[in-house]
Amino acid sequence: MLSGKPGLVQKFASRVSVVEEVDRQAMRDFVKWLSIEEGLKNRTIKDNLSTLRVYWNWLVDQSYAPEDRANPFDNVTLPAENRKATAEKVRLPFSVEDIRELHKAIEGGRSEMMRATFLLAIYTGCRIEEITSLETANVTEDTIEIVRAKTAAGNRTIPIHDAIKPMVAELKARGDKYLLPDLVANKYGARSPAMSKQFGKVKSKLGYDSRYTFHCIRKTVTTLFEQAGVPEGVSADILGHDKKTMTYGVYSGGSSMDQKREAILRFDYALPA
């Protein structure tokens, strides 16, 4: 089986689950999926194939894959790119008006867990994986702590916006391991795909194309921080981005909680109560 490794391998394994099915056609289909559905550029697809190439060699070393087969991730033809098509795939931030429209649609007919996921995203800028895997033990009355992130910068503590404090308190009071308890994990243990799918249906019904995804909410929050004059270093500490400068990126202990709280409270979507 193609399992046991996180992230990229799981994506591939969800489409091709056994070694015997990994052939040239499967590779072509996977590359096409990365390009069209995931919106990845060729250089990123090439990096992904390099990772999978290493993983295949590991499978051979462990006798999970036959030694007499060429590595299927070698010499894979990448799709032709043109600048216009690439430009059309650029992810765009939702505007405040877009957020209000999405909120209205979600409030009108989606599950409580979709509503909570959306509100947590627009008021924290967290990734959907961070939200859906958030454990109650890492939530206080005033803060959310993201742990086990992919990068050191991703591990962070975020103030809870006043607009969602009652909702967070209610969810925490249920005493479940996860803040969002009613999510079903897929066979790889991921709890976010169901929410991504639900959100995709909502935004598509409202007419938003492939340039808009759940991840675009992070762009919205980043944009609002910039427009509100929030220092980039504070914004980076909330969003979990690496700081590029030597002074802040290497030597600084990070923004204070008061600084982050002030930044979080600078924007308001004026959503109906």
Side-chain angles (χ1 to χ4, degrees), residues 24 36 61 65 85 94 97 101 109 132 165 168 246 260-261:
R24 303 302 293 182
I36 297 176
D61 289 340
F94 292 107
E97 291 72 23
E101 183 179 32
T132 56
K165 276 188 175 181
V168 173
M246 176 67 72
K260 290 188 283 188
R261 190 179 306 282

Side-chain angles (χ1 to χ4, degrees), residues 208-271:
Y208 295 97
D209 58 30
S210 60
R211 294 172 298 172
Y212 296 91
T213 67
F214 192 95
H215 194 75
C216 292
I217 295 173
R218 277 174 64 80
K219 288 180 173 284
T220 300
V221 175
T222 304
T223 301
L224 292 176
F225 280 149
E226 183 175 11
Q227 293 175 349
V230 174
E232 188 172 356
V234 178
S235 175
D237 286 337
I238 295 172
L239 293 165
H241 289 156
D242 289 320
K243 297 175 183 176
K244 304 303 181 183
T245 65
M246 176 67 72
T247 302
Y248 285 175
V250 177
Y251 292 106
S252 174
S255 309
S256 70
M257 192 57 59
D258 285 341
Q259 286 176 303
K260 290 188 283 188
R261 190 179 306 282
E262 179 187 356
I264 284 281
L265 294 176
R266 281 195 193 183
F267 62 85
D268 183 5
Y269 299 99
L271 299 178

Side-chain angles (χ1 to χ4, degrees), residues 42-262:
N42 276 357
R43 66 172 180 268
T44 304
I45 295 175
K46 187 175 180 181
D47 290 341
N48 286 351
L49 292 174
S50 178
T51 298
L52 291 169
R53 190 179 301 117
V54 172
Y55 182 57
W56 183 268
N57 289 334
W58 178 84
L59 291 174
V60 172
D61 289 340
Q62 300 298 314
S63 299
Y64 294 135
E67 294 185 15
D68 58 352
R69 282 182 60 186
N71 192 313
F73 302 99
D74 285 336
N75 304 316
V76 178
T77 301
L78 299 179
E81 285 187 328
N82 64 70
R83 292 182 180 179
K84 181 178 179 180
T86 300
E88 290 175 348
K89 292 179 183 177
V90 171
R91 299 292 185 251
L92 299 175
F94 292 107
S95 68
V96 172
E97 291 72 23
D98 293 334
I99 293 295
R100 290 173 185 156
E101 183 179 32
L102 288 162
H103 177 259
K104 182 178 180 180
I106 291 171
E107 287 282 320
R110 291 292 155 178
S111 70
E112 179 190 13
M113 293 297 99
M114 179 73 263
R115 174 180 178 272
T117 302
F118 178 73
L119 290 173
L120 283 164
I122 66 174
Y123 284 112
T124 68
C126 284
R127 300 171 178 86
I128 192 168
E129 295 83 4
E130 294 171 338
I131 295 170
T132 56
S133 62
L134 184 62
E135 296 187 5
T136 304
N138 295 318
V139 179
T140 72
E141 181 180 348
D142 298 309
T143 63
I144 288 172
E145 185 179 8
I146 304 299
V147 298
R148 295 186 293 276
K150 294 179 180 179
T151 65
N155 294 321
R156 62 203 188 276
T157 303
I158 305 169
I160 300 174
H161 196 289
D162 290 347
I164 58 172
K165 276 188 175 181
M167 179 195 72
V168 173
E170 180 182 341
L171 290 168
K172 182 176 172 62
R174 297 184 184 183
D176 195 90
K177 176 182 177 181
Y178 293 103
L179 186 67
L180 303 183
D182 300 332
L183 299 181
V184 178
N186 65 14
K187 61 182 179 181
Y188 304 109
R191 306 177 84 241
S192 62
M195 290 296 94
S196 292
K197 187 174 182 179
Q198 277 196 35
F199 181 79
K201 290 180 178 179
V202 173
K203 66 97 177 178
S204 295
K205 189 173 182 179
L206 292 174
Y208 295 97
D209 58 30
S210 60
R211 294 172 298 172
Y212 296 91
T213 67
F214 192 95
H215 194 75
C216 292
I217 295 173
R218 277 174 64 80
K219 288 180 173 284
T220 300
V221 175
T222 304
T223 301
L224 292 176
F225 280 149
E226 183 175 11
Q227 293 175 349
V230 174
E232 188 172 356
V234 178
S235 175
D237 286 337
I238 295 172
L239 293 165
H241 289 156
D242 289 320
K243 297 175 183 176
K244 304 303 181 183
T245 65
M246 176 67 72
T247 302
Y248 285 175
V250 177
Y251 292 106
S252 174
S255 309
S256 70
M257 192 57 59
D258 285 341
Q259 286 176 303
K260 290 188 283 188
R261 190 179 306 282
E262 179 187 356

